[in-house]
Amino acid sequence: MFKEEEIEILPYRKGGSYRLENGVFVAAPEAGNGTIHLPTQEEHGIYKIRAGDVDFDIELESSKGSVYPELVEVAKDVLYQIVEMDSAARSVPTNFDYDEHLAYIRISRSEVELHYFATIANTEWGAYFVRDAHGKFQFELLG
């Protein structure tokens, strides 16, 4: 299902005031009517998973317009293990039932984050994983 050629590179964007023009955010000289503040966005690759009820993105660390090749392999491994990883993240006891949904997976050289949002409360959080010696992703913490 994962096709490397469909990864879109989103370039670095300096934080500041922007306005939307023809569907594109354009830097505004100053904050004012019709502008919004956007945070700094580091360059990254994005791959969209859309299949039936499954709807989330994979964000991959990148540099100079290319995703690090080793992270493409990590993304494939994550997708292969996604059911187990999602189950581990959701099995952590909480005091609330948030009716959570997976929004995106962020993959860097050091860790994998499954990022969730809630539908019944205004909250979001990440579940962090690291690889063990056998290549399996092990749940580390919620954050």
Side-chain angles (χ1 to χ4, degrees), residues 67-78:
V67 169
Y68 297 113
E70 66 270 20
L71 295 184
V72 171
E73 294 308 312
V74 173
K76 291 175 183 177
D77 289 346
V78 167

Side-chain angles (χ1 to χ4, degrees), residues 9-20 23-28 36-44 59:
I9 301 296
L10 299 180
Y12 170 84
R13 180 191 64 223
K14 181 179 178 182
S17 295
Y18 287 83
R19 65 178 176 273
L20 194 58
V24 176
F25 287 109
V26 177
I36 61 170
H37 178 81
L38 295 176
T40 297
Q41 170 185 281
E42 297 299 326
E43 175 188 309
H44 64 282
E59 294 182 4

